[in-house]
Amino acid sequence: TILGEKIDVARERISFVPEDKSFYDSLTPEKAIKMCSMLMSNFSAERAAKQMKDFDLPMNKKISAFSHGMKTSTYLAIALAQDADIFIFDEPTWGLDPLRRDEVLDMISALSESGKTVLYTCGEDSRCLFNHVQRRNPLHRRNEGIGRSVRSLLSSFENGNR
């Protein structure tokens, strides 16, 4: 069991964006949406299509021909179209341009603020989401004790002192 439920039930509560984005390579975004609609009862095809349009993805082009950033955008659109309780993002901004990266970090922050559980990995820059949240919501800076602890932890991590 996971989350106190059978695996098939719990799976519907979890949305995942993997670091290796090759699962949908043989499909177009349009076909990926259709497949996800058949596999997941908590999936909104309309929301996925809208998000892919917002990400400027060509709906009839094979995903295997996409750049890494476009593949990342495809996976994000699919993950964000799920009505899940837990979102796991493994390197969700890798390959994205800076503007898209900030947009995606806003989306991830909004999920957390709405009460969803978010697990996020960021190998390139361990401070990327923390810094984004700091820029987005300066009230987080008010509690200097917590801020100092997090900064100390990040500094220790960056210096290899795990």
Side-chain angles (χ1 to χ4, degrees):
T1 64
I2 299 174
L3 302 169
E5 298 175 359
K6 291 184 178 181
I7 292 174
D8 288 340
V9 174
R11 187 179 303 137
E12 293 279 323
R13 296 179 56 197
I14 302 169
S15 180
F16 176 59
V17 174
E19 178 182 9
D20 177 27
K21 297 167 181 71
S22 60
F23 179 71
Y24 300 108
D25 273 355
S26 65
L27 302 174
T28 64
E30 184 175 36
K31 289 181 181 176
I33 290 172
K34 286 180 185 175
M35 183 187 74
C36 290
S37 293
M38 291 187 288
L39 294 174
M40 296 179 273
S41 65
N42 68 340
F43 182 78
S44 168
E46 296 79 23
R47 200 169 24 193
K50 181 188 180 317
Q51 189 62 62
M52 287 185 188
K53 182 179 180 201
D54 291 348
F55 283 155
D56 300 318
L57 297 172
M59 296 301 284
N60 294 311
K61 185 176 180 180
K62 278 201 173 184
I63 295 170
S64 60
F66 284 8
S67 68
H68 189 82
M70 291 169 74
K71 287 181 182 181
T72 297
S73 295
T74 302
Y75 273 75
L76 286 165
I78 288 169
L80 295 168
Q82 295 174 58
D83 184 21
D85 296 318
I86 300 171
F87 290 83
I88 303 170
F89 298 99
D90 190 1
E91 302 285 346
T93 59
W94 195 75
L96 300 179
D97 66 60
L99 293 175
R100 180 65 34 90
R101 177 184 165 275
D102 284 347
E103 180 184 345
V104 166
L105 291 174
D106 278 341
M107 291 175 189
I108 292 171
S109 294
L111 285 172
S112 180
E113 291 168 5
S114 74
K116 303 291 186 178
T117 299
V118 175
L119 301 173
Y120 178 97
T121 66
C122 183
E124 291 293 316
D125 179 3
S126 60
R127 297 171 296 169
C128 60
L129 186 61
F130 175 75
N131 286 341
H132 180 75
V133 170
Q134 287 270 331
R135 281 195 316 269
R136 188 166 179 254
N137 188 354
L139 294 177
H140 285 287
R141 294 184 192 147
R142 228 193 279 177
N143 190 333
E144 287 298 315
I146 292 174
R148 252 194 310 276
S149 297
V150 171
R151 281 191 295 278
S152 171
L153 178 63
L154 289 171
S155 175
S156 176
F157 222 55
E158 290 168 344
N159 295 326
N161 303 325
R162 293 180 169 90

